[in-house]
Amino acid sequence: MSQVSPSRFIRVPQRVQQLQEVMPLLKDWQQPADAVLAQWMKGQPALGGRDRAELSDAVFALLRQWRLFEQLTADSGEQQGRRMALLALAELHGLEAVSQELEAEEQQWLQQACAANKENLPFAQRFSLPDWLAEELQKQDNPEALAAALNSEASIDIRVNPLRADRKKMLKTLQQGERAAFKPEAMSYSPWGIRLEGRPTLRHWPEFDKGELEVQDEGSQILAALVAPRRNEIIIDFCAGAGGKSLLLGALMRGTGKLYAMDVSAARLERAKPRFARCGIDNVNSFAIPENDDARLQRFYGKAQRVLVDAPCSGLGTLRRNPDLKWRLRAEEITQYVELQQVILQRAAKCVAPGGRLVYATCSVLPQENEQQIQAFLQACPDFQVVPVNEVLKARIPNLLMQGDYLSLRPDLHGTDGFFAAVLVRTAGAS
């Protein structure tokens, strides 16, 4: 467990009570944790902003280690909920900060629980995973490092808008004054990225209002380097969602060519439009495509020089940010995602021009959604072939080297969310 030096007094009794109230609401695993917490907070008008932030951090610390905490408190009877809450607070603030507000008997229990040898526990309990996911991760290289990293807290990743800001100048600005406390530094790989520590209130920063900065994980930024859009091209972001990747692609196109942000949800695309306007991206066309009807899509067949498919997926590479996902997701849902990805990939591939590039990506660490998906696609579409990812990365990110043909990012190795991408090219003779 982490042993963070306490920065100030932790209101342990109040925080434990709040966690005990929220825990039963979380445990049916039907809704995302942030939605559950937001709903509960609506009934707590006296809760201040700082308390809300601290409680949110405590809830997510609990979610990361839920199964381990259940194991450590298995013989606690009616005290189990309280003791799990104490373990979460100790994980977040350090043992000393929490212990000093407890009676001697409870202090002793907490010290023993934090010091307990966990090495002999089964993998699933030690890394707080459902059995099916523990089994999947144990098939990966160095699974313990991967599981531990997925259980850690993610940094805040932002990037400059290349149309309106220079990263070097932006870093100099952010490293002065009060914002220097968040220790902004250039990302290891993305040429546009800046990494922050802590929890800054980014919406209050003037650079966001002016469209100079955006929040985006480094792995997602790297996708833009793989698409590598050129001026005056036709580019399709096939699963655009809220438009985060379209924003960067549009900026790199410098307002030239045509960028189509496509999604099956017209509502999501509509919410993206103010972001495009704020960032000065005026070459984006939002285009809703029916889920099971390609009639509107046919006019794009064979026309796009670049097509990005950031496919719907399990999201298991984002557990650092969404720890409740491992409890809400069911093993059988992976098969459903794989089937959906196959359909989407086939639809998007039809839009790629001869000689054009198709980039397939997920924020998953499972081979079923990644390498195996590409293998199945190549068998079904022999007019596409893989471009080794290092050949593409060397133009913008030469220090990021992969062992194989694909982009495979891991939090324990690269400090990013778990990310996969494959770059494919359609042979020039295809029609």
Side-chain angles (χ1 to χ4, degrees), residues 335-356:
T335 300
Q336 296 170 13
Y337 277 118
V338 168
E339 292 172 353
L340 176 61
Q341 291 156 4
Q342 289 172 350
V343 171
I344 291 173
L345 197 46
Q346 295 277 351
R347 296 179 77 192
K350 296 175 182 177
C351 299
V352 181

Side-chain angles (χ1 to χ4, degrees), residues 8 43 86 112 140 188 195 289 294 312 324 397 414 429:
R8 55 188 179 80
L86 287 172
Q112 290 175 346
Q140 307 264 354
S188 300
R195 183 154 291 160
I289 48 176
D294 280 1
D324 57 309
I397 315 177
H414 306 100

Side-chain angles (χ1 to χ4, degrees), residues 26 46 193 222 240 250 264 293 349 368 376:
L26 295 166
I222 291 171
V264 295
D293 183 2
Q368 302 95 302

Side-chain angles (χ1 to χ4, degrees), residues 214-275:
E214 282 290 323
V215 177
Q216 192 172 40
D217 181 76
E218 185 173 19
S220 191
Q221 296 177 37
I222 291 171
L223 285 187
L226 296 183
V227 176
R230 298 173 180 170
R231 298 188 182 196
N232 298 311
E233 288 185 327
I234 295 175
I235 312 289
I236 296 176
D237 184 358
F238 201 80
C239 302
K245 288 166 290 297
S246 293
L247 282 171
L248 184 50
L249 293 174
L252 294 175
M253 294 169 73
R254 299 288 171 179
T256 69
K258 292 184 178 180
L259 172 59
Y260 292 93
M262 297 186 180
D263 202 272
V264 295
S265 171
R268 281 198 294 263
L269 292 172
E270 195 64 29
R271 289 194 294 271
K273 288 182 179 179
R275 300 179 71 190

Side-chain angles (χ1 to χ4, degrees), residues 60-68 91 123-129 133 137 144-154 318-321 323 326-327 411:
F60 278 76
L62 176 61
L63 289 167
R64 288 189 181 93
Q65 303 292 353
W66 190 290
R67 190 169 185 182
L68 174 61
E91 179 79 11
F123 185 91
Q125 292 178 345
R126 186 161 28 117
F127 294 106
S128 219
L129 299 165
L133 182 53
L137 292 187
E144 295 192 357
L146 175 59
L150 288 171
N151 268 346
S152 65
E153 187 176 2
T318 70
L319 290 182
R320 300 183 307 160
R321 305 179 194 278
K326 60 186 174 184
W327 309 120

Side-chain angles (χ1 to χ4, degrees), residues 102-129:
L102 303 177
E103 298 294 335
E105 183 178 348
E106 202 160 44
Q107 279 187 10
Q108 184 179 8
W109 175 85
L110 185 59
Q111 290 169 359
Q112 290 175 346
C114 290
N117 182 6
K118 304 167 188 70
E119 295 303 313
N120 294 327
L121 291 175
F123 185 91
Q125 292 178 345
R126 186 161 28 117
F127 294 106
S128 219
L129 299 165

